[in-house]
Amino acid sequence: MVPNTDNRSLPQVRVALAGFGTVGREVVRLLQEEESRYREQLGIDLCLVTILDRSYQKKDTSGIPSEVRLTDSVSEFLQAPSDMIVELLGGSDPADQIIRTGLEQQKAVVTANKLLMAQSGKEYLALANQNDSYLGFEASVAGAIPIIRVLRRSLFSDRIVGVRGILNGTCNFILSEMGDNGLEYEEALSQAQSLGYAEADPTLDVSGADTTDKLAILSAIAFKAVVSPQQIATRGVTEIKPVDLLYAQKLDSTIKLLGVAVKASDHLCLRVSPFLVSNRLPLSNVSGVLNAVEITGSSAGSVVLSGRGAGGAPTAVSVTSDILNAALWKTGAKPSASQATSHHSSTAGEEDSGSSASKPISDKDERYPFFIRFIVKDRPGIIAELANILAERKINIDSVLEESCSDSSNLPFIITVKPILFSTVQEAVGQMKALDFNQIPPLVLPMLQE
Ligand SMILES: NC(=O)c1ccc[n+]([C@@H]2O[C@H](COP(=O)([O-])OP(=O)(O)OC[C@H]3O[C@@H](n4cnc5c(N)ncnc54)[C@H](OP(=O)(O)O)[C@@H]3O)[C@@H](O)[C@H]2O)c1
């Protein structure tokens, strides 16, 4: 990874890496451990020249060769001669400045920053296009799963009609623990925290915001759509109770937090929500911290990829693959189809040249069967009142399930309804919320069946 006098004849690519944290450390390890294989197979001398980290002095940098300059100064980092910038700081500042500067200076830029890619990906792509630079961001969605490459390359020939996925390992772990072991939400969250699967402040994960950022990036690629995360209807997992997973089991289903994008004739339906997922669907089997993405092409049908969506080493694989492709691009060696991954080469060009349009997002065609859970103070006439509200909106009841419960002042039961528009069921549940027997507001979940 440092200049190698034996390889003077190979083209050299100088890499500047920002962020020596969970992912950055693993990228450096991979580049060092696989150095000779990369050099031999790609014919490029990759050379790590500088690392920016505000607290590098407190970290174990003993394995980093002395030729690599360590700095905590952003300006020194940006001034260091390099051909490629790898941004692994996270957050907005100074990550945004580093990405923009790299692109403006015609360097290859690789980032894993989902927050910035969701917010400013379109601008970065325009910058990359204007400056004939390169942007790789495979690791910004679903860690080790090469979803961006698959969407941009492997399935490019097909017309994508839907993308849905389990995009947050923390939420998937929490829901799996609640379903498998009957834990309350708070217990499952603290278990996730003690195992290092959830941050001390888990808000971004459990609120669904992290999934929303990733869905915005996927939608931009799958549908050439400019989607701001703020436009996506988002609900997290905090309202889910063990009883919901119990009733889901009775319905031969489980509960998963999904990001779902469906292409309708003239608009997109985008949603992040816990869904009741039938056990016959592949996403139902993806448990614990794993992620999975299901892409539906009009000709290919459904393609499912699953794997580790986070963690230093898995994420570093995606980052390093981007680095290698960026190096090939930088040296003029054309990446083979299987290696290409970036936002620079020809298929990426449509977005870069500005043909990506702002597609309207609407729930006007968003139709699902629904699961509605109630926890009530029991009294006669409850089902009749609820049935009336549903009937007024022509919503057909599919089933009513009530497990025996000794506490009649906190009685849980569920109603499932036949497919209906999201907006219609929300209206009905809005009216149901006002009824005096509710101990907590009813929970409505869309259902995915075969
Ligand atoms: N971890 C994952 O599993 C994963 C998965 C997919 C994508 N990502 C993305 O990868 C990126 C990096 O994540 P990570 O988990 O590696 O984060 P991390 O462990 O917090 O590492 C970030 C590193 O950058 C340093 N840093 C932060 N701000 C800085 C600044 N202003 N100036 C200089 N150094 C700074 C941090 O120093 P301190 O130690 O002092 O904070 C830390 O060493 C993020 O965009 C994240 O969303 C991560």
Side-chain angles (χ1 to χ4, degrees):
M1 280 310 301
V2 292
N4 184 330
T5 46
D6 299 339
N7 289 282
R8 290 279 179 220
S9 55
L10 294 179
Q12 192 181 73
V13 176
R14 297 162 300 172
V15 179
L17 183 137
F20 192 62
T22 309
V23 180
R25 265 194 307 274
E26 290 296 322
V27 169
V28 172
R29 177 191 62 77
L30 208 50
L31 288 174
Q32 288 177 333
E33 283 179 13
E34 302 300 323
E35 179 182 9
S36 57
R37 185 166 64 89
Y38 297 161
R39 182 183 291 125
E40 199 176 298
Q41 294 186 359
L42 301 181
I44 295 171
D45 185 17
L46 267 179
C47 173
L48 185 60
V49 286
T50 183
I51 295 178
L52 165 71
D53 197 287
R54 65 183 166 203
S55 48
Y56 75 86
Q57 276 141 333
K58 294 187 200 145
K59 291 171 183 155
D60 178 8
T61 53
S62 54
I64 297 175
S66 55
E67 294 88 341
V68 178
R69 173 118 188 99
L70 299 171
T71 178
D72 56 9
S73 156
V74 174
S75 58
E76 191 181 323
F77 175 80
L78 288 174
Q79 280 160 20
S82 68
D83 305 300
M84 185 189 309
I85 286 187
V86 182
E87 184 283 304
L88 298 171
L89 300 174
S92 305
D93 263 340
D96 176 69
Q97 182 199 355
I98 288 172
I99 293 171
R100 286 178 196 273
T101 307
L103 294 172
E104 282 161 4
Q105 292 177 348
Q106 298 187 304
K107 295 181 180 179
V109 174
V110 172
T111 180
N113 197 319
K114 58 206 149 206
L115 178 86
L116 286 180
M117 281 310 299
Q119 280 172 3
S120 311
K122 167 93 178 144
E123 288 171 52
Y124 296 157
L125 295 174
L127 262 184
N129 193 46
Q130 279 160 25
N131 294 290
D132 196 26
S133 45
Y134 181 111
L135 180 63
F137 55 95
E138 180 67 70
S140 63
V141 180
I145 304 176
I147 181 64
I148 293 183
R149 187 175 291 106
V150 166
L151 275 172
R152 299 178 64 78
R153 302 284 161 186
S154 318
L155 294 176
F156 179 73
S157 55
D158 203 356
R159 193 157 40 82
I160 306 299
V161 293
V163 178
R164 61 193 187 192
I166 296 168
L167 301 171
N168 185 279
T170 306
C171 291
N172 206 40
F173 176 85
I174 290 172
L175 293 173
S176 300
E177 285 299 305
M178 290 174 72
D180 296 346
N181 302 320
L183 299 190
E184 292 290 340
Y185 165 76
E186 290 76 12
E187 293 173 306
L189 171 60
S190 73
Q191 191 162 330
Q193 285 168 323
S194 63
L195 289 167
Y197 298 151
E199 304 280 340
D201 177 1
T203 314
L204 278 179
D205 293 319
V206 299
S207 67
D210 175 79
T211 301
T212 303
D213 284 345
K214 293 165 179 170
L215 186 65
I217 299 171
L218 287 180
S219 304
I221 295 163
F223 304 115
K224 311 280 181 280
V226 181
V227 178
S228 148
Q230 286 75 31
Q231 294 173 279
I232 301 178
T234 299
R235 208 153 124 220
V237 296
T238 53
E239 297 160 87
I240 304 292
K241 299 195 169 297
V243 72
D244 300 321
L245 287 135
L246 261 176
Y247 277 112
Q249 274 169 22
K250 303 272 170 214
L251 295 165
D252 194 24
S253 298
T254 188
I255 297 176
K256 298 288 178 194
L257 181 75
L258 299 184
V260 177
V262 179
K263 189 170 187 300
S265 51
D266 59 351
H267 64 276
L268 295 176
C269 301
L270 300 180
R271 185 169 297 277
V272 170
S273 170
F275 277 71
L276 215 80
V277 180
S278 161
N279 287 335
R280 290 184 298 279
L281 293 172
L283 291 180
S284 70
N285 296 320
V286 178
S287 297
V289 288
L290 290 182
N291 281 199
V293 187
E294 180 174 7
I295 309 158
T296 307
S298 59
S299 300
S302 157
V303 173
V304 182
L305 291 102
S306 72
R308 292 175 64 186
T315 307
V317 172
S318 286
V319 173
T320 308
S321 292
D322 273 352
I323 292 174
L324 299 179
N325 280 294
L328 287 168
W329 170 78
K330 197 76 201 168
T331 56
K334 281 273 173 230
S336 69
S338 62
Q339 289 165 334
T341 167
S342 79
H343 256 294
H344 183 268
S345 50
S346 56
T347 48
E350 306 118 335
E351 286 147 38
D352 303 346
S353 62
S355 75
S356 59
S358 191
K359 287 204 178 40
I361 294 172
S362 165
D363 64 359
K364 69 179 177 175
D365 290 330
E366 211 183 355
R367 191 179 281 273
Y368 291 101
F370 287 92
F371 163 106
I372 314 171
R373 180 261 287 150
F374 302 88
I375 297 183
V376 301
K377 184 168 184 184
D378 201 14
R379 65 159 168 78
I382 289 179
I383 297 287
E385 282 181 59
L386 297 172
N388 272 341
I389 291 175
L390 294 171
E392 277 165 19
R393 290 172 178 77
K394 300 190 171 30
I395 302 175
N396 277 346
I397 292 179
D398 194 33
S399 67
V400 178
L401 282 183
E402 182 186 325
E403 290 292 299
S404 62
C405 172
S406 54
D407 183 1
S408 64
S409 60
N410 275 298
L411 180 72
F413 68 92
I414 61 136
I415 297 178
T416 63
V417 301
K418 299 251 167 92
I420 188 84
L421 288 177
F422 221 107
S423 51
T424 309
V425 85
Q426 274 171 333
E427 251 178 56
V429 172
Q431 193 179 341
M432 290 169 174
K433 271 184 191 160
L435 297 172
D436 64 349
F437 48 73
N438 284 303
Q439 293 294 55
I440 58 171
L443 174 83
V444 57
L445 301 181
M447 299 170 73
L448 285 185
Q449 297 169 325
E450 263 183 316

